[in-house]
Structure formats: C-alpha cells, structure tokens
Amino acid sequence: MFALVDANNFYVSCERVFQPDLEGKPVLVLSNNDGCVIARSDEVKALGCKMGEPYFKVKERLSGHGVRVFSSNYALYGDMSARLMALLMAGSADVEVYSVDEAFLFYRDRQDWKTEGASLVAKIRQYLGLPISIGFAATKTLAKVANRLAKQDKERYQGVCVLDDTNVDRGLSALPLTDLWGVGRRHARYLHAQGFSTAYDVKYAPTAMIKKQLKSPGLQLQHELKGHVCHDLEYEPALRKSICASKSFGRKLSDVDVVLGALLSNVDRAHEKLRQQGLYAGFMLVFVHSSPFKGGYVFHRAQCSLSDHEQSLLSLSGIAKRALLSCFDSKVRYCKSGVLLWGLYSKDCVQPSLFEDKVGNSKQSEKLDQALEAVRKRYGKNSVGLASTGCYAAEYQMNSAQRSPRYSTRWDELLEVS
C-alpha cells in the first residue's frame, strides 16, 4: 500500500508552530524580495487570494482583513522539513522524499490504514506541531488523489483518506480533472474538449485515445488509476540535468562590482550543489536582467564550456566574472543575476590525462575546496567565502523585512519563553 504524506499549507504551518496566536487567523508568506504570494492559510484562500499573485496587487484588498504577512524564511522551513522526513523514516514504511513538504510511503505489511494514518497525524502534530494530510491507495497516483480528497474535506476525513476497491471510483468522481497528478494544462484542455471533467473519466477513457494523445505518460496514468503500479518508490534521486542558482536584488543595481558580488554568491551556491552530488558541469550560463514588469526589459547572458580541471570554486568564479564583464551594460539597472550549470556528469567518470599540465593545479584546487567545506561545516556557511561576495553583500541583499526569526537554526534567534 502506498501513502502520500503532505504538510498542510507548509510554510504557514511552520510560522504557526512558533507563533500559536496565528492559529485560525489569515496568514500568507511571500517569495524572495516580498514579491509574490507563495503560501496561504485557508483563511487567506477564502478571501480569494491566489497562489503566485504579486503582493502589490492584493495588498490593499487584504489590508482590512487582519492578514499577517511574512517574508520567506527558508532556513526555518528547510529545518522543519528535515525533521518531518526524519520522523517518517523512523517508522515502518519505506520513504521517498518527494518535495519539501511531501513524501511517499510504501507499506509492505497490511494494516488498519485508517488507524495507521490517524496515529501518524497525531504523532507529527505532537512532535512538530505540523498538521498533515495522508492519502492511502494501491498506487502513487491514487495516493495523490486520496491525499487531495483528505485536504478538500477535512471534516469528513480528519486528515486521513483511504481509497480501496469499495470507494475508489466515488473518490475519482469527486476529483476535478485539473487536480489530477500528471495532467498539465495542454492535456487538460484536450480532455475537456472530449467531454472529460473528472479523474473517473480518465480512468475509463478509451485506452487507444489516451495512448495517442497523452503518449506513454498518459497510459501509465490511466493504468495507475486502475490500480496497476507503474511508479515505484524512488530511493535514490535521479541524476540532475542542470543546476541553477539565482538572486533577486533588494534594489535595482548598475554598479558592476556589486552585481558581480551577487553573481559570485550564486556561483558559490551552485558549486556547493555540484560538490554535494559529486558532479562536474560541462557548460555554464551567466545571466543578468532588468525588471520584466517595466518597459525596456533587458536580458543579458554569456555562455561558456568548462573542462574537467575548471570545476573548483575559484575557477568557476573566474570564468563567471569574465562572462559577466563580456555582457554587462552599466546603463541598465539590473534586478536579478544567476548562473546555470548543465551538461552534468559524475566526477568519478573523469579520466585524468598524463600529459595535462593543469592536473597538479586541479589537485590543489580540490584541497582548497575541501578545506572551505570543513571550515563552513564547523563555523557556519557564512564563515568564509569569496571576498567579492562579502564586500557588497549589504548592497544586493533581498528585502525580507517581515521575516520571522530562524527559531530552530540560530542560537541568537531562539524562541524566548517568559
């Protein structure tokens, strides 16, 4: 039996754990630079605020309803996510971490699923203070459906929905086509045109039509809706095809040194992700752009290839600097910078050359990267870094004036009880 565990309104719930007075009140969380709405409590959803809406468009409309607004606090959310996944992994089920607030479980032994789900809901509420919804079913797709039903009707399901042979068709009939996992907008438009409106319609659609229009993914979707497993748990994450790190600035910038500092902080983060996954990159794209919401939008980029001995932080930073200088225009007021690494491959597959002059330099760079990681692990991520990123950090830092304290990861921001 599969199960999907999903934390309800995760970012909002994390804020409420440490500020219980927010329970039952309208709360929303904003994206980087307080730009768009990325999390909403049920009370905010009832006010008609949509996910992804720019905050400046809804600010006035929400102002008279006592809405509490928070800047994104990713340190807190990431730590709470890690604690949630650790609790799930301590249970009897196999676990696949699907996203920051979702995980698939697989139970090998038959149980009373309603009791198991209720126990897990109570345990996570007690240990972490987070409300969750759980959907049990024979496949991952049906578990997604069950989870969605549990969230839509909290009174009926009390956070736990079990779909089996006795009620699966009734559950599918209650789920709109657009809420079905794996059905995108284009396919939804086509299916609507054919008269389909619910997940039940997809389950019993002609197989030949599904195969012709939705190809293999659509066929697998239909099989899963019928209870045939096509997607097992993924215990190891798939090899990434690219790594992107970008940063929006707190204000418009035209000083090349300040923009470079922001860009190199992106390179630092991308390099860290490369090292964590044991990967090298074949190509790098550097980009900067102005605001897309105002006239005269400008997007500048520069691309270059990377060799095996150009994978250290210092090498990548030097290449990124040259790429930025090749496309930078001091007359433009930029609002964001970023770096994209792709053509990724495992560094274990690299065959060094006996005649490569830079092999010795690569070994020294590897030792430097290892030393950098060791210092950061002991003293914190911001304890050491490139000089360019630190000199101008105050100039390009994002706006986060409404961010709550990082209660669980910073000693100086621990919750005080009196």
Side-chain angles (χ1 to χ4, degrees):
M1 178 70 88
F2 287 92
L4 177 66
V5 176
D6 185 6
N8 302 338
N9 307 324
F10 181 59
Y11 292 174
V12 169
S13 295
C14 289
E15 300 290 351
R16 284 174 167 172
V17 168
F18 297 93
Q19 300 184 61
D21 60 305
L22 297 175
E23 200 68 46
K25 297 179 181 177
V27 179
L28 64 82
V29 178
L30 302 176
S31 63
N32 292 339
N33 273 322
D34 296 346
C36 299
V37 177
I38 58 171
R40 307 158 296 160
S41 66
D42 291 337
E43 296 79 9
V44 171
K45 294 176 184 177
L47 295 174
C49 180
K50 298 179 181 179
M51 179 69 82
E53 273 196 286
Y55 180 55
F56 74 88
K57 287 187 176 181
V58 300
K59 183 177 181 179
E60 186 175 345
R61 190 169 83 233
L62 299 177
S63 60
H65 297 278
V67 178
R68 291 289 304 275
V69 180
F70 291 91
S71 303
S72 50
N73 187 347
Y74 295 122
L76 175 64
Y77 309 150
D79 184 63
M80 292 296 285
S81 172
R83 293 172 187 238
L84 171 61
M85 300 309 165
L87 266 181
L88 296 177
M89 290 177 183
S92 60
D94 297 337
V95 180
E96 174 194 334
V97 178
Y98 184 66
S99 69
V100 68
D101 61 345
E102 291 179 285
F104 282 105
L105 311 183
F106 181 72
Y107 292 86
R108 301 181 183 276
D109 300 322
R110 184 166 183 80
Q111 303 181 36
D112 180 342
W113 305 118
K114 195 71 177 179
T115 301
E116 170 66 16
S119 174
L120 199 52
V121 168
K123 181 179 181 180
I124 291 174
R125 188 64 143 166
Q126 177 186 359
Y127 281 48
L128 297 178
L130 294 173
I132 65 168
S133 297
I134 308 178
F136 289 92
T139 69
K140 290 173 82 172
T141 301
L142 287 175
K144 264 279 194 180
V145 173
N147 182 275
R148 180 60 65 95
L149 295 174
K151 297 180 82 170
Q152 287 179 347
D153 195 341
K154 294 183 175 64
E155 291 296 325
R156 176 182 178 184
Y157 293 107
Q158 297 296 308
V160 182
C161 176
V162 181
L163 289 183
D164 54 28
D165 294 338
T166 65
N167 65 351
V168 63
D169 282 354
R170 186 167 66 251
L172 293 177
S173 298
L175 189 76
L177 177 65
T178 51
D179 288 344
L180 185 57
W181 186 42
V183 176
R185 292 181 181 178
R186 183 170 62 85
H187 289 149
R189 284 197 299 268
Y190 171 79
L191 293 172
H192 273 304
Q194 303 304 311
F196 300 155
S197 59
T198 67
Y200 177 89
D201 297 329
V202 177
K203 176 179 178 179
Y204 291 104
T207 300
M209 185 271 286
I210 292 291
K211 183 177 181 180
K212 180 179 179 181
Q213 298 298 330
L214 277 64
K215 310 302 180 187
S216 178
L219 202 57
Q220 290 179 343
L221 169 64
Q222 188 180 55
H223 285 327
E224 288 238 330
L225 291 176
K226 293 180 178 179
H228 308 305
V229 177
C230 296
H231 304 293
D232 290 318
L233 287 196
E234 297 181 7
Y235 298 101
E236 292 293 333
L239 186 66
R240 299 185 67 163
K241 296 182 179 180
S242 64
I243 290 176
C244 183
S246 60
K247 182 185 292 289
S248 296
F249 310 143
R251 60 187 181 86
K252 306 297 186 298
L253 299 174
S254 57
D255 187 318
V256 65
D257 291 329
V258 180
V259 174
L260 176 62
L263 176 66
L264 294 186
S265 70
N266 297 329
V267 173
D268 198 340
R269 283 192 294 148
H271 174 259
E272 181 182 16
K273 293 178 182 179
L274 274 180
R275 303 240 345 141
Q276 288 173 348
Q277 299 174 56
L279 299 174
Y280 279 174
F283 304 93
M284 174 193 285
L285 173 72
V286 165
F287 63 88
V288 287
H289 65 77
S290 61
S291 173
F293 303 108
K294 296 184 178 180
Y297 173 65
V298 174
F299 184 95
H300 289 150
R301 64 179 184 176
Q303 177 180 320
C304 51
S305 59
L306 305 171
S307 63
D308 294 340
H309 59 265
E310 293 176 322
Q311 305 293 327
S312 69
L313 176 59
L314 290 182
S315 295
L316 292 178
S317 298
I319 294 170
K321 178 179 180 180
R322 293 191 292 273
L324 175 67
L325 296 178
S326 71
C327 66
F328 190 85
D329 185 350
S330 59
K331 297 178 182 178
V332 177
R333 299 181 68 204
Y334 296 102
C335 72
K336 188 174 184 177
S337 70
V339 58
L340 174 68
L341 302 175
W342 81 100
L344 306 184
Y345 56 98
S346 173
K347 66 180 182 181
D348 295 332
C349 300
V350 174
Q351 177 64 53
S353 170
L354 284 172
F355 308 104
E356 176 60 69
D357 293 336
K358 298 183 179 181
V359 169
N361 293 334
S362 297
K363 291 181 179 179
Q364 292 298 321
S365 297
E366 174 65 21
K367 291 181 179 179
L368 181 59
D369 284 342
Q370 290 175 355
L372 185 66
E373 289 175 357
V375 171
R376 287 177 170 176
K377 185 176 182 179
R378 181 171 182 178
Y379 297 104
K381 293 184 68 172
N382 298 322
S383 57
V384 62
L386 299 170
S388 300
T389 62
C391 291
Y392 303 101
E395 299 287 332
Y396 59 76
Q397 287 298 334
M398 295 183 293
N399 295 323
S400 55
Q402 302 174 91
R403 178 182 58 76
S404 56
R406 292 159 287 191
Y407 302 102
S408 60
T409 57
R410 292 286 295 263
W411 287 107
D412 56 337
E413 295 181 21
L414 283 173
L415 185 66
E416 295 183 4
V417 180
S418 59

